[in-house]
């Protein structure tokens, strides 16, 4: 890797995105990272920070163009920006669902549509979408988040079929719970239905425990770098829990998987 490898990463203010930007920079890439508010973001050595709102069409177009103006090309796009939501499906308002999908799914559509004309022109590129184990497994009381990551999986696979003719490949990284503030401080639905309170509390506590015992952002960042610069494959599940869950989902009967999920989230 060298300065000639231009990498753009969304959501680098903290967590996985920040760790990934740092690692790309240390390996000699020319790294650009997006944040919502430059004034509130701690500088990252070796990373050019760009103020960009992934939920705003014009902001994304302007942000991508600024990278092109500086570096003349983009070799790797890492779609890392995202948010979470805890609550029963019945408790989740359509407004909350729209906001979640806007951040987790439509943000990818925006960045991809802004970057692809440049990648098509150069006939090369790699797009890495950060998904989740919840993109292939359900999680009680994270229904809309799980749905958004299922959408990321479908979008990514379809996109890869469409753009490989131009020398561009799309891949996904599917981490499990990670020690980040995003997971520890996940917002909860505004509406509360009393019948769900007991189980939601159990599931929420189980999620916090999983995060506290989860992988460090740096270990996920290492996998993202492999997915971006290594030999292509569609899915990358980090070693440990994520890899185990992928194998269980693929090879175990549905009944034991269902029971395991309920046990993990304290639902018996």
């Amino acid at each position: 890797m060298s300065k000639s490898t231009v990498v753009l990463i969304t959501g680098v203010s903290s967590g996985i995105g920040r760790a990934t930007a740092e690692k790309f920079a240390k390996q000699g890439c020319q790294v650009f990272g997006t944040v919502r508010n430059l004034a509130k973001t701690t500088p990252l050595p070796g990373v050019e920070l760009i103020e960009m709102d992934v939920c705003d069409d014009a902001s994304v177009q302007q942000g991508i163009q600024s990278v092109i103006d500086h570096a003349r090309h983009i070799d790797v796009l890492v779609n890392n920006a995202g948010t979470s939501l805890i609550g029963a499906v019945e408790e989740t308002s359509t407004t909350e669902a729209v906001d979640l999908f806007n951040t987790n799914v439509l943000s990818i559509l925006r960045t991809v549509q802004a970057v692809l004309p440049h990648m098509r022109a150069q006939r090369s590129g790699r797009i890495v979408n950060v998904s989740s184990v919840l993109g292939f497994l359900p999680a009680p009381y994270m229904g809309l988040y799980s749905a958004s990551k299922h959408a990321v999986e479908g979008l990514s696979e379809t996109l890869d079929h469409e753009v490989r003719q131009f020398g561009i490949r799309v891949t996904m990284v599917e981490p499990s719970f990670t020690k980040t503030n995003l997971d520890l401080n996940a917002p909860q639905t505004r509406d509360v239905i009393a019948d769900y309170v007991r189980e939601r509390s159990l599931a929420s506590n189980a999620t916090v425990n999983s995060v506290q015992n989860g992988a460090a952002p740096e270990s996920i960042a290492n996998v993202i770098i492999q997915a971006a610069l290594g030999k292509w494959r569609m899915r990358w599940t980090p070693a440990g829990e994520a890899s185990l869950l992928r194998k269980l989902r693929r090879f175990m009967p549905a009944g034991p998987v269902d029971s395991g999920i309920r046990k993990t989230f304290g639902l018996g």
Side-chain angles (χ1 to χ4, degrees), residues 2 12 19 23 52 71 76 111 133 135 162 173 189 219 225 237 261 264:
S2 68
V12 302
K23 285 184 178 291
M52 188 175 96
V76 176
T111 59
V133 295
E162 295 169 351
V173 175
T189 54
S219 67
I225 290 174
T237 47
I261 289 170
T264 297

Side-chain angles (χ1 to χ4, degrees), residues 1-198:
M1 287 177 287
S2 68
K3 285 289 186 181
S4 62
T5 303
V6 178
V7 181
L8 171 62
I9 308 164
T10 65
V12 302
S13 59
S14 63
I16 293 172
R18 191 173 185 87
T20 301
E22 288 175 333
K23 285 184 178 291
F24 270 119
K26 287 177 181 177
Q27 294 192 40
C29 294
Q30 185 175 5
V31 184
F32 296 85
T34 77
V35 296
R36 281 184 294 181
N37 191 323
L38 275 174
K40 295 182 179 180
T41 304
T42 304
L44 264 169
V47 179
E48 181 77 24
L49 296 179
I50 296 172
E51 191 166 270
M52 188 175 96
D53 181 356
V54 296
C55 293
D56 181 84
D57 292 3
S59 180
V60 170
Q61 288 289 339
Q62 184 177 359
I64 300 301
Q65 188 58 51
S66 70
V67 176
I68 296 298
D69 291 343
H70 278 84
R72 303 302 177 196
H73 64 104
I74 297 173
D75 300 297
V76 176
L77 167 65
V78 179
N79 282 307
N80 164 75
T83 189
S84 187
L85 183 67
I86 293 176
V89 170
E90 187 181 355
E91 294 174 315
T92 308
S93 68
T94 54
T95 299
E96 288 170 323
V98 167
D99 289 344
L100 185 70
F101 269 72
N102 197 15
T103 302
N104 289 3
V105 183
L106 297 185
S107 66
I108 294 176
L109 181 62
R110 292 185 184 97
T111 59
V112 162
Q113 289 181 343
V115 164
L116 276 177
H118 306 287
M119 288 187 171
R120 282 192 289 105
Q122 69 199 27
R123 285 303 194 260
S124 66
R126 182 72 59 91
I127 297 171
V128 183
N129 294 330
V130 179
S131 180
S132 166
V133 295
L134 301 191
F136 59 83
L137 276 173
Y141 297 93
M142 295 185 75
L144 271 297
Y145 178 80
S146 297
S148 74
K149 292 302 183 179
H150 275 68
V152 169
E153 301 261 326
L155 175 65
S156 300
E157 287 200 66
T158 295
L159 183 61
D160 181 67
H161 282 294
E162 295 169 351
V163 299
R164 68 178 69 172
Q165 63 180 311
F166 310 117
I168 306 163
R169 298 308 301 261
V170 182
T171 183
M172 289 177 286
V173 175
E174 302 168 320
S176 185
F177 291 109
T178 310
K179 292 178 184 177
T180 67
N181 289 332
L182 172 67
D183 286 333
L184 279 175
N185 302 317
Q188 300 207 358
T189 54
R190 288 184 291 273
D191 292 337
V192 174
I193 297 174
D195 282 348
Y196 291 111
V197 169
R198 184 187 68 83

Side-chain angles (χ1 to χ4, degrees), residues 205-256:
N205 289 337
T207 298
V208 170
N209 290 334
S210 294
V211 170
Q212 290 172 338
N213 294 304
E218 290 75 15
S219 67
I220 310 304
N222 288 332
V223 179
I224 291 174
I225 290 174
Q226 285 182 287
L229 301 168
K231 185 177 179 181
W232 177 88
R233 68 172 187 253
M234 189 73 248
R235 288 177 171 80
W236 295 74
T237 47
E241 184 179 50
S243 182
L244 175 61
L245 290 172
R246 164 59 72 183
K247 291 182 176 68
L248 291 177
R249 182 60 160 175
R250 183 174 181 182
F251 297 113
M252 283 193 69

